[in-house]
DNA sequence: CCATCCGTAAACACCT
DNA sequence: GAGGTGTTTACGGATG
């Protein structure tokens, strides 16, 4: 148990009842040895009739769009492979524009990469850019489609009138109704598609821009952190949440109507509303079936997984798909509430997109830097490349790592390799390189502060229902260390989890159990009796003991990457790459590395004092937790460490449970200092 | 194949 | 008794 060589990451749990929709959307339970991502590979090369005209059904059109997206992506890959990628592509926007390949051209691309392959090769930002562009395109075409339909309808009406045929009113009405239904159908398809994409984490759509990828993202009127609450709130009928959404001015209905028209007045007969919904394919990038959404996919539904409804805030248990469909039709019919929830979801997507854009920028800069391309200084929050000589990968030392919060620099040797965008298909993608997607095995080698990573991305985790790529132990530790007095009650730990990660706002029973389990199981967590009760502290020594001295990059990372390309996994991977590099560092006995000594300090510093913004988290009921800085002045000791620790801390020499009580030599002392230091 | 780690589930005890 | 807190065991998946 001392050696925590294994994954330091929290992988997507197949078990939990619901898992993250995004993570486990595809296969229930553990069935997915190759979980998810499977189906998408096939049937990919479909060449749908190019002219998306009258004949094409909405579903086909969508499918067509998806194909186009894939083709464009492939084209992009080609460009990259041939080194065409302009160095200027530092941010996703540029990437996006750079990818503007005429559809026709894209369609002709000889490259036949599977979506998985592309995902393996393309970095998240790249995918993001590609998909966003494609979505914009898609929306445009959909709009055209709408127009055509309308024109057709008008024409029909006109001709009928001209013909003087006394068209029974009902007939007209029926036609219009039919048209409306068709529109609605398409809209739902769109919505479905968007949801799918969003769940896959690959794309999110800006409601109010039908075209034009990635642009100034209109800040959501709703605070991202409110979203989860909104969901919950909306779950109950007559909740104010819905109203709040409306009054928040989410005028998406008007502006977004073209994109995702949730605004369709529910005058259309309900029955048809949901038939089209069932079945997006949880698989990555969706497959053909996905688009041909009229046929029921018997086995899956994007809103159904692990036996429960994944409609935001719902989680109703449904034994089978049929039951779920029923539930969907009854509980989530096309009504005001559902519409409002969709709007909220759109906001979620928006936020994710924003976050993704940020991350994309960062990644681009990282890659640019590691490529040694003259990357223009990005407006990062992070002061990277302090290391002048950093240009040489081989020489990245631990100290350098300090300066490399995000740079997943693999100090020795292979550092360069990971960066290359193109890699043997079987191997991990460069973009997610080194750090390893979900697991941190290789992390030791990477020296970048991650807790900082966590801090930097905490906005992301806060809003995105993505499982953080850290183990429970790491997270717990982080939670505890983030507090000025380095101790938390169980409940406070819970609160931290829910506050920091959207993912942990669900399945509370599961992860709370895991938290308790970890607290009890790991020696590094020390329970200290308190007046009020008990608080938990971290024994850094023990914690560090867990880390194995040697770990090198492993192919397993790759595997993870490949297998887990779903939304969560993708992000997790990305995050993990960044994150893992930091946590470990903190954890690792810095002593091992001579150079690390210096870095250890700052790092742990970073770790501890991580700039985690306090951010009013409406999410949790937790008492407003101040950021360390604000806290510093507070009372250090919640209570004197009663003598109740022996039970847990029998013997470890340094095991003084209460950090503040007796500062264990180096580490602890250091850590103690950190807060103050950081604060000042 | 084995050992280890991790996450999850669950049973149980204790306390409020 | 219900619920929260802790502890412990068991299991399966992932990994080296």
């Amino acid at each position: 148990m001392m050696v925590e060589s294994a994954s330091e990451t929290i992988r997507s749990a197949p078990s939990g009842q619901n898992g993250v929709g995004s993570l486990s959307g595809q296969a229930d339970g553990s069935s997915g040895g190759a979980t998810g991502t499977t189906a998408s590979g096939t049937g990919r090369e479909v060449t749908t009739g190019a002219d998306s005209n009258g004949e094409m059904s909405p579903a086909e059109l969508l499918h067509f769009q998806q194909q186009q997206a894939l083709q464009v992506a492939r084209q992009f890959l080609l460009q990259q492979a041939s080194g065409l990628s302009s160095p200027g592509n530092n941010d996703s926007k540029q990437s996006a524009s750079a990818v503007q390949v005429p559809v026709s051209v894209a369609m002709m691309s000889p490259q036949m990469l599977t979506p998985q392959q592309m995902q393996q090769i393309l970095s998240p930002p790249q995918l993001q850019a590609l998909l966003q562009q494609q979505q914009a395109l898609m929306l445009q075409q959909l709009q055209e489609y709408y127009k055509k339909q309308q024109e057709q309808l008008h024409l029909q009406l006109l001709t009928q009138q001209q013909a003087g045929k006394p068209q029974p009113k009902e007939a007209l009405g029926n036609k219009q109704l039919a048209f409306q239904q068709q529109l609605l159908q398409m809209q739902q398809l769109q919505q479905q598609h968007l949801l799918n994409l969003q769940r896959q984490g690959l794309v999110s759509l800006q409601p109010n821009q039908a075209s034009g990828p990635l642009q100034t993202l209109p800040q959501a009127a709703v605070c991202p952190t409110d979203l989860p609450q909104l969901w919950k709130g909306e779950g109950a009928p007559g909740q104010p949440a819905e109203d709040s959404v409306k009054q928040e001015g989410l005028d998406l209905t008007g502006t977004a109507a073209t994109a995702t028209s949730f605004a369709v007045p529910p005058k259309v007969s309900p029955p048809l509303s949901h038939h089209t919904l069932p079945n997006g394919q949880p698989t990555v990038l969706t497959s053909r079936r996905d688009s041909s959404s009229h046929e029921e996919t018997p086995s899956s539904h994007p809103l159904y997984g692990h036996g429960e409804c994944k409609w935001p805030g719902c989680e109703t248990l449904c034994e089978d798909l049929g039951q779920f469909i029923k539930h969907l039709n009854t509980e989530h019919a096309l009504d005001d509430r559902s519409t409002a929830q969709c709007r909220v979801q759109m906001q979620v997507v928006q936020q994710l997109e924003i976050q993704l854009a940020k991350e994309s920028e960062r990644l681009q800069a990282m890659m640019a830097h590691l490529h040694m391309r003259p990357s223009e200084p990005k407006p990062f929050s992070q002061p990277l490349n302090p290391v002048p000589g950093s240009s040489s990968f081989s020489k990245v030392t631990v100290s350098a790592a300090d300066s490399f919060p995000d740079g997943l620099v693999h100090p020795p040797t292979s550092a360069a390799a990971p960066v290359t965008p193109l890699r043997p298909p079987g191997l991990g993608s460069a973009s997610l390189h080194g750090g390893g997607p979900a697991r941190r095995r290789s992390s030791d080698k990477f020296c970048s502060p991650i807790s900082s990573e966590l801090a930097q991305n905490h906005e992301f985790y806060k809003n995105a229902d993505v499982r953080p790529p850290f183990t429970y132990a790491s997270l717990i530790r982080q939670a505890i260390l983030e507090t000025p007095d380095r101790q938390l009650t169980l409940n406070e730990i819970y609160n931290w989890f829910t506050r920091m990660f959207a993912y942990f706002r669900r399945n509370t029973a599961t992860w709370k159990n895991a938290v308790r389990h970890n607290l009890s199981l790991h020696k590094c967590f020390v329970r200290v009796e308190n007046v009020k009760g008990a608080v938990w502290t971290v024994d850094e020594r023990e914690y560090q003991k867990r880390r194995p001295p040697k770990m090198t990059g492993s192919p397993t990372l790759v595997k993870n990457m490949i297998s887990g390309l779903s939304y969560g996994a993708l992000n997790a991977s990305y995050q993990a790459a960044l994150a893992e590099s930091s946590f470990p560092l903190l954890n690792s006995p810095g002593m091992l590395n001579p150079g690390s000594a210096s870095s250890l300090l700052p790092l742990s510093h970073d770790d501890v004092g991580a700039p985690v913004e306090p951010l009013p988290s409406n999410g949790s009921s937790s008492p407003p937790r101040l950021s360390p800085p604000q806290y510093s002045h507070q009372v250090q000791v919640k209570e004197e460490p009663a003598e109740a620790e022996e039970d847990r801390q029998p013997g470890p020499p340094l095991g003084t449970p209460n950090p503040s009580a007796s500062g264990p030599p180096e580490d602890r002392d250091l850590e103690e200092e950190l807060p103050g230091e950081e604060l000042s």
Side-chain angles (χ1 to χ4, degrees), chain A residues 19 243 536:
Chain A
D243 297 337
W536 290 92

Side-chain angles (χ1 to χ4, degrees), chain A residues 23-40:
Chain A
L23 287 180
S24 48
Q26 42 262 93
D28 288 34
S30 51
S31 64
T35 41
T37 69
T38 50
S40 52

